[in-house]
Each structure stands twice: as structure tokens, then as C-alpha cells.
Amino acid sequence: MSIPTVLIACGAGIATSTIVCERVETLFKEQKVRAQVIQCMISEVSSLQDGASLVISTTILPRAYNIPSIIATAYISGVGMEELDQKILNLLKN
């Protein structure tokens, strides 16, 4: 049985994606969700989307992808984090 792959992207793949990556990994651990999390640059999403289940970005994505995407600014601002947690969990269940 394969586990879903979640791409977490920001412009450089270093700063804000690290914050989001830590939050998502903690969320998955607390909710006992088995998923592979890959931190990357937005420019890498096109080449990584095959086999992935979801893109979580820290900014507006430059185009649509073949998989669902969500912007995770709530994890940066601290406002609406629980709602974002639920959106991510719901997208992974579908």
C-alpha cells in the first residue's frame, strides 16, 4: 500500500516552506496520518507532481497542477491554522 506524497513549496524551498513543513509533519504525527512530505521550490513542483497527492505552498502558485493545491499562509501568519489543518486532512482523504 502506497502512502500519499505531499509537496511543500516556497520560492527558494528553504525559509517559509521549512515552517510549513514542520507544522504539517507535526499535524500528520498527531493525526496518525502516514504520508511522505517533500520540501521543494515552487519551480520544482511541475517535475515532482507525478505521484504526489497534494501541493501546499506558501505563495500563489504560478499555474494549475494535476493535483490539488492549497496555500498555507495561515501557518506563517498564525491566523486560521486549525482550519488549514482540517483542509489539508480533508484533501488527503479524498
Side-chain angles (χ1 to χ4, degrees):
M1 182 174 159
S2 66
I3 61 172
T5 297
V6 177
L7 305 177
I8 299 179
C10 73
I14 298 171
T16 54
S17 62
T18 298
I19 295 167
V20 173
C21 193
E22 291 173 357
R23 173 71 185 200
V24 169
E25 287 176 335
T26 299
L27 172 67
F28 289 169
K29 184 175 181 180
E30 290 173 352
Q31 297 297 316
K32 299 183 179 9
V33 173
R34 291 187 64 216
Q36 177 183 16
V37 176
I38 297 175
Q39 185 176 353
C40 63
M41 295 185 293
I42 287 179
S43 61
E44 296 175 309
V45 171
S46 291
S47 63
L48 295 172
Q49 69 176 323
D50 290 341
S53 301
L54 174 65
V55 177
I56 301 172
S57 70
T58 61
T59 187
I60 296 171
L61 294 167
R63 66 180 192 88
Y65 297 99
N66 298 331
I67 55 176
S69 63
I70 191 166
I71 297 175
T73 51
Y75 290 160
I76 307 301
S77 69
V79 178
M81 293 175 34
E82 291 77 20
E83 291 86 358
L84 182 56
D85 287 347
Q86 195 57 55
K87 284 181 184 177
I88 291 169
L89 293 173
N90 289 343
L91 284 170
L92 278 184
K93 290 178 184 173
N94 295 325

